[in-house]
Amino acid sequence: MRIDVVTLFPGIFSGPLQESILHLAQTRGLVEIRVVNLREFAEGRHRVTDDYPFGGGGGMILKPEPLFRAVETLRGPGARVILLCPQGRAFTQAVAQELAKAEHLILLAGRYEGVDERVREALVDDEVSIGDYVLTGGELPALVVMDAVVRLLPGVLGDATAPARDSFAGGLLDYPQYTRPAEFRGLRVPEVLLSGDHRRIAAWRRVRALWRTVERRPDLLRHADLTEEEQRLIDEFRRGGRPPEP
Ligand code: ADE
């Protein structure tokens, strides 16, 4: 996969792209990420990239010409052009999975008060928001999208089954995890996890994932894949029931 990210602030990306999984994925050749400075596509002595809004009102708007020029230079067949902005569709694990299938993503990080609407009308394929809050620009959202997408690419995570176990992957939050020591400051790891009985462990984890989702994110249950027995358990949790102690 190739990802180009177009920004006025390339320095924001240097730390995150040079650490951990995002860095490893690049050095292994599993993804090629290029940070492109929008200013290089602006013309004139001052390379102006923004201007006042027609009709008045405060703030500065990103001009269309540099963004069109940047995308037209970078775009090849199979590219998806995505604008990061608060007005976009909500970024979820399902959207990450969808984007992970693309050959080439071009991420446009918006700035200031917004972008000229013609960028939406005639340049981008998609608009994505990472949540209902306003950041100073699309750079951090672009990093969020890259992180979530790159870890799904084949070969990026050492454990190929990891994405399937993620929170949200099956429509539920993740189950609780423990590691050594088995007892820490009087807090014990649930006995079942030490039992070596993989069927009981799987059943315990499923029940705990259901309980946690009922308690914290009941909205997710509408799209979860559940058996009749699980639906019955959920109804019990909703009435205040607790999972049995192992
Ligand atoms: N730019 C500013 N805020 C944003 C958000 N929440 N998501 C995506 N891009 C943004």
Side-chain angles (χ1 to χ4, degrees):
M1 174 183 256
R2 178 172 145 200
I3 305 178
D4 293 317
V5 43
V6 180
T7 172
L8 280 172
F9 299 94
I12 293 177
F13 295 86
S14 31
L17 293 182
Q18 280 157 32
E19 300 283 347
S20 188
I21 304 282
L22 281 175
H23 184 242
L24 222 74
Q26 293 174 85
T27 56
R28 288 192 190 143
L30 301 170
V31 63
E32 183 190 342
I33 300 178
R34 289 195 304 194
V35 180
V36 176
N37 193 337
L38 179 62
R39 204 164 296 284
E40 286 171 18
F41 295 91
E43 287 194 322
R45 199 154 61 85
H46 298 293
R47 295 192 175 270
V48 174
T49 54
D50 58 349
D51 207 338
Y52 297 100
F54 275 125
M60 300 296 277
I61 307 297
L62 285 183
K63 290 163 67 59
E65 310 93 307
L67 283 165
F68 272 76
R69 234 178 264 126
V71 169
E72 283 159 3
T73 304
L74 299 169
R75 183 154 57 189
R80 272 184 80 166
V81 183
I82 299 169
L83 174 67
L84 285 309
C85 63
Q87 298 82 5
R89 63 176 173 139
F91 187 62
T92 61
Q93 190 64 23
V95 176
Q97 279 157 356
E98 181 196 318
L99 298 185
K101 295 186 192 126
E103 268 171 60
H104 181 192
L105 298 176
I106 301 176
L107 305 179
L108 306 180
R111 270 274 147 183
Y112 308 113
E113 303 302 307
V115 302
D116 187 285
E117 191 65 16
R118 287 163 292 190
V119 169
R120 291 201 166 84
E121 290 168 2
L123 188 66
V124 308
D125 301 311
D126 203 354
E127 298 173 46
V128 167
S129 162
I130 63 158
D132 292 340
Y133 39 82
V134 180
L135 301 165
T136 52
E139 283 77 10
L140 296 176
L143 281 165
V144 167
V145 168
M146 283 194 273
D147 191 289
V149 167
V150 168
R151 68 185 285 286
L152 294 176
L153 300 179
V156 169
L157 295 185
D159 175 359
T161 65
R165 280 188 280 104
D166 287 340
S167 276
F168 310 114
L172 298 179
L173 295 183
D174 213 351
Y175 48 78
Q177 296 272 30
Y178 297 85
T179 185
R180 271 176 279 273
E183 184 171 341
F184 171 70
R185 298 190 179 175
L187 302 170
R188 289 195 56 76
V189 171
E191 217 48 56
V192 59
L193 299 179
L194 312 175
S195 70
D197 182 339
H198 295 292
R199 286 221 340 222
R200 267 182 70 217
I201 292 171
W204 182 89
R205 286 178 164 168
R206 184 75 182 164
V207 169
R208 292 295 161 139
L210 287 168
W211 189 40
R212 183 167 268 186
T213 309
V214 171
E215 296 268 297
R216 299 184 183 189
R217 292 292 307 276
D219 57 297
L220 294 177
L221 293 167
R222 268 181 281 132
H223 305 291
D225 200 7
L226 303 169
T227 66
E228 263 177 47
E229 169 64 11
E230 287 171 342
Q231 195 54 60
R232 196 191 56 71
L233 251 178
I234 283 170
D235 293 339
E236 207 175 301
F237 292 154
R238 283 204 169 112
R239 291 192 296 268
R242 292 174 54 91
E245 289 302 324

